Amino acid sequence: MVLSKAVSESDASLHSTFASRYVRTCLPRFKMPDNSIPKEAAYQIINDELMLDGNPRLNLASFVTTWMEPECDKLIMSSINKNYVDMDEYPVTTELQNRCVNMIAHLFNAPLGETETAVGVGTVGSSEAIMLAGLAFKRRWQNKMREQGKPFDKPNIVTGANVQVCWEKFARYFEVELKEVKLRDDYYVMDPEKAVEMVDENTICVAAILGSTLNGEFEDVKRLNDLLVEKNAETGWDTPIHVDAASGGFIAPFIYPELEWDFRLPLVKSINVSGHKYGLVYAGIGWVIWRNKEDLPDELIFHINYLGADQPTFTLNFSKGSSQIIAQYYQLIRLGFEGYKSIMENCQENAMVLKEGLEKTGRFNIISKDNGVPLVAFSLKDHSEHTEFEISDMLRRFGWIVPAYTMPPDAQHVTVLRVVVREDFSRTLADRLVVDISKVLHELDTLPARLSAKKTVSEENGMSVAAVDAEHEVTRKITDAWRKFVLDKKKTQGVC
């Protein structure tokens, strides 16, 4: 005999969220609701809203990894509830971090003995890594100046104007003067000669970028090192170098092994790298490695024992997840040197395919270099009717997120589009992007030229050509001012 049960209206609503009252009621956005809702409804409401986000795989603005193997995803989820700072409770996780630090240090040619361990730490990204490295430089400089009986209240750091916003944050947060080498046409990275000219007795370090965010170009760290060696010998100073290898640190060792940029150069004292970029891990992991123990002052390291044992710590935050550290170790042992090399070569080849496709349109100048981070930065040859910002906006209709931006001083008159080629950006997608860019160009070409049309109408209405030109100049200035406001706003919200 089959027993049946009448289903009440309230029970039935739980079987289909879209048949329930929860999709007919607006939830409060900025205040906690008074009552609970079913887990299915909460999930569906949030999931539906998240559909309005862009597709991470098509986000070509970001250097950050957007795909990992399912096996690594499993490891991440199995360790998502582990707090890394509990080293005594999770000793294996701590051991995995130490292994990663040593693997990366060897990759960067740190001068380690057979039994010597590397000095470094995992961070939440290159921003924290740069803050820690900068603090070490500042403290070493302060200690030296104090010993010599000299003022130590006006430290400065020399960088190019192309540095990521985290360097500006470091300078502002920790009261260090930021000396920027301005860019110029066709030279969009720091000039080593000009950088060394700006160095003085109060310079705590010179920061070189291995992979500019703007065009992917590697700065000439070896040339910088050689010039600084000469200046230090002349002045008696010992100005060091930090290499910001956030993007290029996991690229250069594999496809440019002969390039000298790392600890092979004597003045390079610390290097940061983003594991969540070409280290091939999801967002939330960076690394900073020091040349040796003397380059990290002991007074910056804290020791705690209230978690069960004496634990040294040198971080800006305290608690953080273990998942990304475990994911980095997975990638290092899973791929090995061979795997990383193959992936970086594929990225570089796909970038060249994209570059060649853009060149064939005859509409763009290529700003990026063939050697460097696998990306393509390009600008319009003709700006008389359309802009890079219009192309960027219209590409979103196809799902592509391609940023448009102006260069820093003194090249701010140059506007650029940039496509970052990551591991999951295949040749098929590269070909498809070129097709969609061609479609956008065609659509823009078929639109009435707004300024020309406006000029024609104005002349028909009796306005002089000079008056029209003056109006255009006012419009251009307003547009430039608004664009600068938007870009400055974005810069303060930058993510490394």
Side-chain angles (χ1 to χ4, degrees):
M1 179 177 179
V2 179
L3 298 177
S4 61
K5 177 184 176 182
V7 180
S8 68
E9 184 177 350
S10 60
D11 290 335
S13 69
L14 297 180
H15 293 290
S16 174
T17 299
F18 292 113
S20 71
R21 63 182 175 84
Y22 301 105
V23 297
R24 301 194 303 269
T25 305
C26 287
L27 295 177
R29 292 188 177 185
F30 305 117
K31 294 179 65 177
M32 185 182 296
D34 294 330
N35 301 315
S36 303
I37 63 175
K39 60 182 182 295
E40 297 87 357
Y43 168 82
Q44 195 65 58
I45 290 169
I46 297 171
N47 184 70
D48 289 353
E49 200 163 2
L50 287 174
M51 290 192 301
L52 299 175
D53 269 345
N55 184 337
R57 292 280 302 278
L58 299 182
N59 179 9
L60 306 183
S62 178
F63 292 82
V64 176
T65 296
T66 53
W67 178 87
M68 296 187 74
E69 292 177 325
E71 290 77 10
C72 193
D73 289 344
K74 292 178 184 178
L75 285 173
I76 289 173
M77 293 309 299
S78 67
S79 58
I80 202 165
N81 58 350
K82 290 184 180 179
N83 185 0
Y84 169 73
V85 78
D86 295 335
M87 299 180 186
D88 194 51
E89 287 77 5
Y90 307 121
V92 175
T93 301
T94 302
E95 170 64 19
L96 296 186
Q97 187 216 226
N98 295 338
R99 293 180 192 176
C100 289
V101 166
N102 281 272
M103 289 181 184
I104 296 169
H106 283 290
L107 191 66
F108 295 167
N109 294 292
L112 299 173
E114 288 293 327
T115 59
E116 192 176 1
T117 58
V119 180
V121 67
T123 62
V124 294
S126 276
S127 289
E128 184 188 7
I130 285 168
M131 304 286 175
L132 298 178
L135 285 171
F137 282 118
K138 182 180 179 182
R139 183 56 59 91
R140 288 187 72 248
W141 174 83
Q142 287 176 326
N143 291 343
K144 179 189 68 175
M145 298 296 281
R146 187 181 290 111
E147 290 173 1
Q148 296 176 359
K150 296 179 179 180
F152 51 89
D153 58 337
K154 294 182 179 180
N156 68 67
I157 189 169
V158 176
T159 71
N162 57 310
V163 293
Q164 213 264 1
V165 69
C166 57
W167 284 99
E168 298 179 46
K169 289 181 179 180
F170 166 75
R172 188 178 302 177
Y173 295 166
F174 298 105
E175 299 181 328
V176 176
E177 179 189 1
L178 185 66
K179 292 184 173 183
E180 291 186 333
V181 179
K182 303 301 182 184
L183 310 185
R184 61 179 186 268
D185 282 343
D186 299 323
Y187 200 94
Y188 303 118
V189 292
M190 181 178 68
D191 185 330
E193 280 78 8
K194 293 184 177 181
V196 173
E197 288 175 4
M198 298 176 74
V199 170
D200 60 32
E201 192 175 18
N202 293 328
T203 301
I204 64 175
C205 80
V206 180
I209 312 298
L210 194 78
S212 172
T213 300
L214 302 176
N215 68 344
E217 186 174 351
F218 292 165
E219 292 182 346
D220 193 344
V221 186
K222 188 177 188 309
R223 177 63 176 159
L224 176 65
N225 178 87
D226 294 344
L227 291 171
L228 266 181
V229 167
E230 294 178 7
K231 185 157 189 173
N232 286 343
E234 293 171 0
T235 60
W237 305 335
D238 59 351
T239 306
I241 296 172
H242 175 84
V243 179
D244 180 357
S247 298
F250 277 110
I251 296 171
F254 303 108
I255 57 179
Y256 307 113
E258 303 304 318
L259 181 67
E260 294 185 46
W261 63 273
D262 52 19
F263 292 120
R264 285 170 288 183
L265 302 175
L267 291 183
V268 174
K269 302 299 183 181
S270 56
I271 301 172
N272 69 275
V273 65
S274 291
H276 59 219
K277 292 181 181 176
Y278 287 93
L280 308 180
V281 179
Y282 293 137
I285 185 66
W287 304 92
V288 57
I289 311 295
W290 282 271
R291 186 182 192 87
N292 52 50
K293 292 181 180 179
E294 289 72 27
D295 296 311
L296 177 57
D298 288 336
E299 60 263 37
L300 294 179
I301 301 174
F302 291 83
H303 292 266
I304 60 171
N305 61 10
Y306 52 80
L307 292 175
D310 179 68
Q311 298 174 8
T313 175
F314 180 39
T315 58
L316 294 183
N317 66 316
F318 195 63
S319 295
K320 68 177 179 180
S322 299
S323 297
Q324 266 62 18
I325 291 173
I326 294 168
Q328 183 73 84
Y329 183 68
Y330 171 90
Q331 292 289 51
L332 291 172
I333 66 168
R334 158 77 176 96
L335 296 173
F337 193 95
E338 175 189 30
Y340 270 98
K341 185 174 186 292
S342 296
I343 289 172
M344 301 311 153
E345 287 176 343
N346 284 345
C347 290
Q348 195 65 27
E349 289 175 9
N350 288 337
M352 292 303 100
V353 168
L354 178 60
K355 173 193 169 187
E356 291 166 5
L358 292 171
E359 287 176 328
K360 287 179 181 177
T361 66
R363 305 289 293 273
F364 298 105
N365 291 315
I366 304 300
I367 305 298
S368 51
K369 306 294 184 181
D370 290 349
N371 295 333
V373 177
L375 61 79
V376 183
F378 53 103
S379 61
L380 282 167
K381 291 181 177 179
D382 181 8
H383 292 84
S384 62
E385 294 184 353
H386 313 302
T387 70
E388 287 83 0
F389 293 96
E390 290 175 305
I391 294 174
S392 174
D393 182 60
M394 293 188 70
L395 279 172
R396 284 182 175 263
R397 301 180 188 179
F398 297 91
W400 302 107
I401 302 173
V402 177
Y405 52 88
T406 55
M407 289 289 192
D410 285 327
Q412 60 266 42
H413 56 282
V414 179
T415 308
V416 172
L417 291 155
R418 188 196 66 208
V419 173
V420 177
V421 177
R422 301 188 302 270
E423 176 188 12
D424 54 353
F425 186 77
S426 64
R427 186 158 303 188
T428 300
L429 287 178
D431 291 337
R432 182 68 198 182
L433 177 59
V434 173
V435 170
D436 289 343
I437 289 175
S438 298
K439 289 180 180 178
V440 166
L441 290 171
H442 176 73
E443 186 173 347
L444 286 171
D445 289 341
T446 57
L447 293 174
R450 289 167 299 177
L451 291 180
S452 298
K454 186 177 180 182
K455 187 171 182 177
T456 301
V457 171
S458 299
E459 289 176 343
E460 290 176 353
N461 291 337
M463 290 180 65
S464 68
V465 174
V468 174
D469 288 340
E471 184 179 351
H472 293 166
E473 179 64 17
V474 171
T475 302
R476 185 189 66 79
K477 288 182 178 180
I478 293 173
T479 302
D480 287 346
W482 177 250
R483 183 183 299 166
K484 183 178 184 301
F485 170 79
V486 173
L487 291 173
D488 288 345
K489 187 81 172 175
K490 287 183 178 180
K491 197 169 185 181
T492 62
Q493 299 171 348
V495 176
C496 181

